[in-house]
Amino acid sequence: MSELKPGETDPTLDGSESGVTSDNVEGNAGNSHKSVEDLDLDSLERMYEEMVGKPGLLTQTKPTSGNGVSESRKDAKSSTIETQNRCFDPTQTVGAGTSHQTVDERSRPEFKKSPREEKTSPKVITGGSQTKTILSKGIEDDKDVKLTEKVREGMKGRSLEPGEFVPHKSFKMKVIDGESTLMPYNGAIQHRYNSYLERKNKLAKAEGSLYNFANGFKRFGLLKVEGGISYCEWAPGAKRLSLFGDFNHWNRDHTICTRDEFGVWSAFLPDKADGTPAIAHNSHLKVCVDTNSGQRVDKIPAWIHYAIQDKSSLLFNGVFWNPEQKYQWKNPTPQTPKTVRIYESHVGMASQEEKVASYKEFTQNIIPKIARQGYTCVQLMAIMEHAYYGSFGYHVTNFFGISSRFGTPEELKELIDTAHEYGLVVLMDLVHSHASSNGYDGLNFFDGTDHHYFHGGSRGYHKQWDSKLFNYGHWEVSRFLLSNVRWYMEEYKFDGFRFDGITSMLYKHHGIDYDFVGGYDEYFTESKVDIDAMVYLMLVNDLIHSINPNAITIAEDVSGMPCLCRPILDGGFGFDYRLNMSVPDLWIKYLKEFADDHWSMGQLVHALTYRRHTEKHIAYVESHDQSIVGDKTLAMWLFDKEIYYSMGVDKPMTPVVFRGMALHKMIRLLTVGLGGEAYLNFIGNEFGHPEWVDFPREGNNYSHHHCRRQWNLLENEHLRYKFLNTFDRAMHSLEDEYEWMSATDEYITLKHEADKLIIFEKAGLLWIFNFHPSKSFEHYRVGTRWACDHEIIFDTDGKKFGGTERLGDAYNEKFPHIEENWHGRANYIQIYIPSRSAIILRPTEGCATGYTDPVEKIIGEGETTTKGLQEEMTALTLAETKQESPQLEEGVNSKEVETDPKLVTSNEANDNDDNKESAIVDQDPQ
């Protein structure tokens, strides 16, 4: 293969959409099916024409509706960055710089060999003795079909292997199975998958593998190597680079870098005569960039591992981190937990003192709390360095540097190692969706151009977040971001990542001023989606799971993009979980806008269960999003001002406090029961943390009062917070025992609007929720599948959880079953159900189920007719007036199960069946 010549355009960077060349294909050697060379060409051509007809371009047929949710991006990111962010003035740096076409697109150090393909021409592929032509969207135009009917027959029951080219929309990707509404977009899904294959194979051909490609941290940045220190930086638009700092008395003209033909600058600093490094450990430094516009600016090396803020200038300096004693890891990575229960945490605000807390404090004080509470994962926010503390860590300035506010790299390693010792999986909140627009401390205008790591012009700027947007299709940007992930996995041993704000990545409009209504054309229209960003997300998931097959990746997306959590080889993106973001918004909406007796039980159940059950979701009531300034914690919504003076256990429980204590527990239990396959909680909210989160800023006189966690409230035995904390711990302990979040035997027995009851079966348990603000029910009939006695194992109204324990002696009783059909179940029991309480019962040992429900635990093999979430939610919208309680149409979800067993696995009975033998007890606990 020929080398790149100056002025040539690298086809791997041209953004073209083509099929995969056979000589780029990995993993075909071991395939058991016959290759195309074994088949007669004429027969193969006839077979192809019979199967798919004449090849054509991909079509885009709009379905009836899709699955989406309203855009509700966090306000913290869309706020204007204040003076601390010190945005760089582009007018001072952008001038007659080197052309992006002549420098950036061919700036690929170490891999001069590249496929020779022209951007506008069809792709010519050789295979066997024949040649074929691939059109721009991956459709075969000639002979030598890669996937024949014979081959396809041999592939039944398995996923596509890397390198297996999908030639035509008639070949159905596996993600289509069970979700027929995706069928019109099978071609678009194939195109996405083929683009991923093409990109991966080009990277692999250039450097051996995707893993090898992502080792940029072994060349770029400041590295201690044999005989000295090397510095390497990609800055194609710069005129000159020089390294300066403590080591050369901050002389910008002392250590001048040399540039290669790809725009990579480098310098080597030999060890001193005594063998010590030329740059001492913990020395401060920067790189001086002379731009082609004549400006001279000081920057922090893009691959720096550590940066510290100068207290006088408030600017950050890079730090050469090279301790003599490296941290010695003591504990192995824990096994993937059976249930992922995430404790979302921010190190800096983890102290009850009004200060920035440290890694060491978090290690000593918080890690044991998390483990004792029953969480299985800790998710760390704001780890990558960010100049503006108030950005919550989402305006990253130094991607390879950990936040120095909290401590050193060795101290972060100790934190993660200690978490592993406690059996906790450690996830990192990863921000690859955008970068800080700060041009002094960050990547913006690093080489004097606005199109270095980012798209140029308006395409590279997120106007709501005041941040820069990466060019994911660029070779070196891909290297930077993929290496970033590998760095944190191998250097710090992170066990996975939450990918923040990927809605902005998936779409060219970034979700700005765009309302997702659920039509599938929103997800697959070429003019709307960013195929380069999609391919990057597939590549990074591929990389992460190749490094650690047990790693956990989480997608934060508000658009409802299908297939995020489906395997890449099936046509998905490869994430493990996605956040069920509509759930917390619904809870806050209820608390803000509707009286308790106007809550819709049907809508609650619908919102919690209406999701793609082929993709795993993380249920949560509140994350950091719901706590930021402008909003407040769930506890604050519930208790309001009484949280300040009515939480004492020695005081009579007021109606407001009784309601708050009850709903805080019930809302969490219902969410964890129906809302997903994993659970998340933001630090401190498990015990009802008051108020909100507000980082120090000019508007609050730089106060830390609302940027801390008041553990003293929990530890005070005279306050009721301890009860909520005990409930949270008991809930996790019970989930450990019954593992209901991974259970599939979910059956919604009752959603009664007048009685405000929700009853369902899951994981071999019977769940009863009474949301009525004042009515309790005596001898209420509850249908059950189990033909045996039942016993109570969990009660939110228990005294140990701060309740009034109105069930009394019922804890020790057995509730006998009656063999009579009730609410679609073969049996029923009768039980007292107190108002504003939830009860979980289990059948006694040796119990028979009575009969087998045809829908339970079975996901049908037939096609689905998915309705859009927005359309369904509209049909279930709460009545605007509070004059009468909204009623859910009877049988609506039973019908959904019949038509769409893939999407809704729960079977739901008549919502408002009269419970003729129950007695209503009007009861006010106060």
Side-chain angles (χ1 to χ4, degrees):
M1 181 174 293
S2 61
E3 295 184 353
L4 277 174
K5 300 297 191 297
E8 283 187 329
T9 300
D10 181 357
T12 63
L13 307 178
D14 62 16
S16 62
E17 301 163 345
S18 68
V20 159
T21 60
S22 59
D23 59 345
N24 278 348
V25 167
E26 298 178 345
N28 283 340
N31 288 350
S32 61
H33 57 260
K34 293 184 178 181
S35 65
V36 69
E37 290 91 331
D38 298 323
L39 301 174
D40 176 76
L41 185 60
D42 293 333
S43 300
L44 198 126
E45 183 177 12
R46 287 195 300 271
M47 184 185 302
Y48 178 72
E49 291 176 351
E50 290 173 1
M51 285 190 296
V52 299
K54 296 294 184 181
L57 296 177
L58 300 180
T59 58
Q60 302 259 340
T61 305
K62 183 175 180 179
T64 54
S65 58
N67 181 17
V69 293
S70 298
E71 174 76 46
S72 58
R73 188 65 192 139
K74 52 179 71 84
D75 293 335
K77 295 184 182 179
S78 61
S79 60
T80 301
I81 303 303
E82 300 181 57
T83 55
Q84 293 92 333
N85 208 18
R86 301 178 302 283
C87 295
F88 202 77
D89 184 359
T91 61
Q92 297 178 356
T93 58
V94 178
T98 306
S99 168
H100 188 57
Q101 288 290 324
T102 59
V103 178
D104 284 3
E105 291 190 359
R106 61 184 179 85
S107 303
R108 293 175 44 228
E110 295 190 313
F111 24 86
K112 299 180 181 180
K113 294 183 179 181
S114 164
R116 299 290 85 209
E117 301 172 40
E118 292 297 329
K119 179 174 181 180
T120 56
S121 64
K123 309 305 174 191
V124 179
I125 297 178
T126 60
S129 59
Q130 304 296 330
T131 301
K132 62 183 176 182
T133 303
I134 307 301
L135 298 182
S136 64
K137 288 185 180 291
I139 303 303
E140 301 209 9
D141 184 57
D142 206 342
K143 315 197 179 198
D144 192 8
V145 180
K146 183 97 178 208
L147 287 183
T148 66
E149 186 175 21
K150 187 172 183 179
V151 170
R152 189 167 174 78
E153 182 67 25
M155 291 176 59
K156 284 185 177 179
R158 71 175 180 84
S159 299
L160 293 168
E161 295 294 332
E164 289 178 336
F165 179 69
V166 183
H168 195 271
K169 63 184 179 181
S170 295
F171 293 112
K172 195 167 62 172
M173 298 295 287
K174 194 171 181 180
V175 293
I176 306 297
D177 294 340
E179 195 166 346
S180 62
T181 46
L182 288 175
M183 191 60 208
Y185 303 96
N186 188 51
I189 295 171
Q190 287 178 359
H191 168 49
R192 184 175 69 202
Y193 173 73
N194 289 335
S195 299
Y196 147 79
L197 274 184
E198 181 185 22
R199 185 70 166 171
K200 179 181 178 181
N201 289 329
K202 285 181 179 179
L203 298 178
K205 190 166 187 178
E207 300 206 25
S209 68
L210 177 62
Y211 179 77
N212 288 344
F213 177 74
N215 70 353
F217 56 86
K218 294 185 177 181
R219 179 190 177 190
F220 291 93
L222 283 156
L223 301 172
K224 181 67 183 78
V225 297
E226 184 177 355
I229 294 172
S230 69
Y231 172 62
C232 188
E233 196 80 69
W234 174 63
K239 185 176 181 180
R240 192 188 85 157
L241 260 68
S242 62
L243 196 65
F244 70 111
D246 292 337
F247 71 97
N248 66 3
H249 307 291
W250 296 92
N251 185 346
R252 292 176 175 83
D253 298 315
H254 183 271
T255 307
I256 310 299
C257 300
T258 59
R259 184 190 189 279
D260 70 9
E261 60 180 311
F262 303 111
V264 175
W265 300 83
S266 59
F268 182 78
L269 292 80
D271 291 338
K272 297 178 182 179
D274 60 1
T276 59
I279 304 177
H281 165 63
N282 214 19
S283 293
H284 291 207
L285 51 83
K286 282 193 170 183
V287 58
C288 177
V289 179
D290 289 351
T291 71
N292 278 286
S293 63
Q295 300 295 315
R296 170 170 282 194
V297 294
D298 298 338
K299 309 288 290 186
I300 298 174
W303 297 70
I304 199 73
H305 297 165
Y306 198 47
I308 294 179
Q309 188 175 34
D310 184 280
K311 301 302 181 184
S312 58
S313 68
L314 299 182
L315 296 175
F316 278 69
N317 291 323
V319 174
F320 180 58
W321 191 257
N322 182 39
E324 289 186 15
Q325 296 297 322
K326 309 286 186 183
Y327 183 80
Q328 299 299 312
W329 294 89
K330 305 176 182 65
N331 302 288
T333 299
Q335 295 295 316
T336 303
K338 291 182 179 179
T339 301
V340 172
R341 297 190 295 270
I342 301 170
Y343 199 78
E344 185 184 36
S345 306
H346 186 284
V347 171
M349 58 180 292
S351 171
Q352 71 185 42
E353 300 178 48
E354 296 187 21
K355 66 173 188 178
V356 177
S358 69
Y359 296 124
K360 277 191 169 295
E361 289 173 307
F362 195 94
T363 301
Q364 296 166 2
N365 302 326
I366 309 303
I367 291 294
K369 288 181 188 290
I370 298 171
R372 185 169 59 249
Q373 199 66 15
Y375 290 88
T376 58
C377 304
V378 55
Q379 177 182 301
L380 297 177
M381 304 175 63
I383 292 300
M384 293 188 286
E385 188 60 88
H386 46 291
Y388 179 44
Y389 190 45
S391 72
F392 228 137
Y394 289 114
H395 281 254
V396 176
T397 46
N398 310 114
F399 282 78
F400 287 82
I402 58 102
S403 180
S404 59
R405 288 183 181 86
F406 314 141
T408 69
E410 310 308 299
E411 290 166 349
L412 174 58
K413 292 175 184 178
E414 182 185 22
L415 185 160
I416 296 170
D417 199 15
T418 303
H420 287 168
E421 181 182 6
Y422 278 90
L424 294 170
V425 168
V426 184
L427 309 178
M428 177 179 167
D429 201 349
L430 187 75
V431 187
H432 279 184
S433 51
H434 62 133
S436 173
S437 58
N438 179 338
Y440 290 99
D441 303 312
L443 295 176
N444 197 15
F445 296 108
F446 188 93
D447 69 349
T449 69
D450 71 339
H451 54 264
H452 183 193
Y453 284 94
F454 314 109
H455 287 292
S458 60
R459 188 181 176 188
Y461 179 70
H462 197 295
K463 65 180 183 180
Q464 287 186 348
W465 298 348
D466 184 29
S467 57
K468 298 295 292 183
L469 300 172
F470 287 106
N471 180 359
Y472 301 100
H474 196 286
W475 189 276
E476 286 304 319
V477 177
S478 295
R479 182 197 299 280
F480 182 82
L481 295 175
L482 290 169
S483 298
N484 191 229
V485 169
R486 181 179 164 189
W487 164 256
Y488 280 108
M489 293 186 75
E490 296 184 351
E491 182 71 15
Y492 290 96
K493 298 190 184 300
F494 276 98
D495 304 304
F497 303 91
R498 169 194 178 271
F499 282 75
D500 178 73
I502 70 164
T503 305
S504 177
M505 301 172 66
L506 294 171
Y507 305 96
K508 293 176 181 177
H509 53 67
H510 311 297
I512 300 174
D513 301 326
Y514 191 94
D515 292 326
F516 293 94
V517 298
Y520 276 20
D521 59 323
E522 296 177 328
Y523 309 135
F524 298 107
T525 301
E526 187 175 357
S527 62
K528 295 181 179 179
V529 300
D530 188 333
I531 191 66
D532 288 332
M534 289 178 165
V535 167
Y536 168 71
L537 290 173
M538 297 166 76
L539 288 171
V540 74
N541 272 292
D542 187 342
L543 174 67
I544 290 169
H545 292 104
S546 69
I547 296 172
N548 177 8
N550 296 320
I552 297 171
T553 59
I554 301 167
E556 187 208 32
D557 168 48
V558 301
S559 73
M561 170 65 73
C563 309
L564 283 179
C565 300
R566 298 295 300 276
I568 295 172
L569 297 181
D570 293 348
F573 288 80
F575 285 99
D576 297 294
Y577 294 89
R578 62 191 303 162
L579 292 168
N580 197 349
M581 300 185 70
S582 63
V583 173
D585 291 341
L586 183 66
W587 285 122
I588 295 300
K589 178 181 178 68
Y590 269 41
L591 292 172
K592 282 182 178 181
E593 301 179 13
F594 301 99
D596 295 0
D597 57 356
H598 291 85
W599 286 18
S600 168
M601 301 297 98
Q603 188 182 34
L604 285 176
V605 170
H606 184 85
L608 289 165
T609 60
Y610 193 72
R611 61 184 184 275
R612 288 183 175 86
H613 285 263
T614 54
E615 302 186 49
K616 291 187 288 187
H617 290 67
I618 297 176
Y620 62 106
V621 176
E622 50 184 337
S623 66
H624 69 276
D625 278 333
Q626 284 69 46
S627 298
I628 57 178
V629 65
D631 209 325
K632 49 191 176 184
T633 65
L634 183 77
M636 201 67 193
W637 279 111
L638 291 169
F639 297 111
D640 200 45
K641 61 183 179 182
E642 293 199 25
I643 204 168
Y644 296 113
Y645 54 80
S646 298
M647 295 296 285
V649 297
D650 57 342
K651 297 180 180 179
M653 193 185 299
T654 66
V656 171
V657 171
F658 175 83
R659 172 183 179 268
M661 293 289 290
L663 291 181
H664 196 277
K665 293 174 288 187
M666 292 180 68
I667 287 172
R668 275 170 161 72
L669 186 62
L670 184 61
T671 299
V672 81
L674 291 178
E677 292 71 37
Y679 179 71
L680 177 141
N681 171 72
F682 182 62
I683 180 172
N685 287 356
E686 70 278 5
F687 68 81
H689 201 283
E691 302 179 324
W692 50 86
V693 175
D694 189 8
F695 281 83
R697 55 189 175 86
E698 185 177 9
N700 63 17
N701 200 26
Y702 300 100
S703 169
H704 286 262
H705 180 74
H706 289 106
C707 192
R708 59 183 178 134
R709 296 289 88 179
Q710 299 185 52
W711 303 111
N712 54 303
L713 300 176
L714 170 60
E715 295 160 1
N716 190 330
E717 288 294 322
H718 302 290
L719 298 177
R720 300 185 189 275
Y721 299 99
K722 62 180 181 180
F723 297 128
L724 299 177
N725 193 71
T726 300
F727 167 82
D728 185 71
R729 187 186 310 156
M731 181 177 70
H732 296 315
S733 177
L734 195 67
E735 205 285 328
D736 269 337
E737 183 176 356
Y738 291 95
E739 299 178 4
W740 62 68
M741 299 204 80
S742 59
T744 56
D745 59 331
E746 183 178 289
Y747 184 96
I748 307 299
T749 309
L750 182 69
K751 308 181 306 299
H752 202 296
E753 297 298 343
D755 293 347
K756 299 303 172 194
L757 288 175
I758 295 172
I759 301 174
F760 61 91
E761 298 168 2
K762 190 172 185 180
L765 302 173
L766 181 60
W767 307 58
I768 303 172
F769 290 78
N770 182 1
F771 279 96
H772 204 288
S774 60
K775 291 181 180 179
S776 299
F777 303 96
E778 190 77 33
H779 304 303
Y780 202 95
R781 282 191 183 185
V782 175
T784 174
R785 65 178 292 184
W786 295 285
C788 59
D789 295 348
H790 291 57
E791 58 188 0
I792 296 172
I793 61 170
F794 202 71
D795 173 24
T796 61
D797 192 42
K799 284 186 177 179
K800 62 182 178 181
F801 304 145
T804 56
E805 206 160 278
R806 285 166 286 169
L807 284 170
D809 295 335
Y811 294 146
N812 302 317
E813 294 181 6
K814 306 291 186 189
F815 295 88
H817 74 287
I818 307 298
E819 293 185 3
E820 180 181 331
N821 190 289
W822 192 257
H823 286 152
R825 313 312 275 158
N827 315 279
Y828 70 84
I829 63 172
Q830 290 185 283
I831 188 172
Y832 169 52
I833 310 176
S835 62
R836 282 197 179 124
S837 71
I839 311 164
I840 301 178
L841 302 95
R842 68 180 173 196
T844 54
E845 293 184 12
C847 183
T849 58
Y851 75 103
T852 301
D853 188 282
V855 179
E856 268 178 341
K857 301 184 72 173
I858 298 175
I859 298 179
E861 298 298 327
E863 294 184 342
T864 63
T865 54
T866 307
K867 292 185 178 180
L869 178 59
Q870 192 69 26
E871 177 183 332
E872 291 290 329
M873 294 296 282
T874 301
L876 299 170
T877 301
L878 290 170
E880 293 298 328
T881 174
K882 296 185 179 181
Q883 301 301 314
E884 60 182 17
S885 177
Q887 301 295 312
L888 183 68
E889 182 183 354
E890 294 186 3
V892 62
N893 284 326
S894 293
K895 182 178 180 181
E896 287 175 351
V897 172
E898 293 172 5
T899 59
D900 196 359
K902 279 287 187 181
L903 190 63
V904 183
T905 60
S906 57
N907 187 17
E908 303 177 356
N910 193 318
D911 304 307
N912 293 302
D913 228 1
D914 291 334
N915 205 306
K916 298 178 180 178
E917 296 190 18
S918 66
I920 297 176
V921 181
D922 292 318
Q923 183 176 24
D924 183 350
Q926 305 309 313

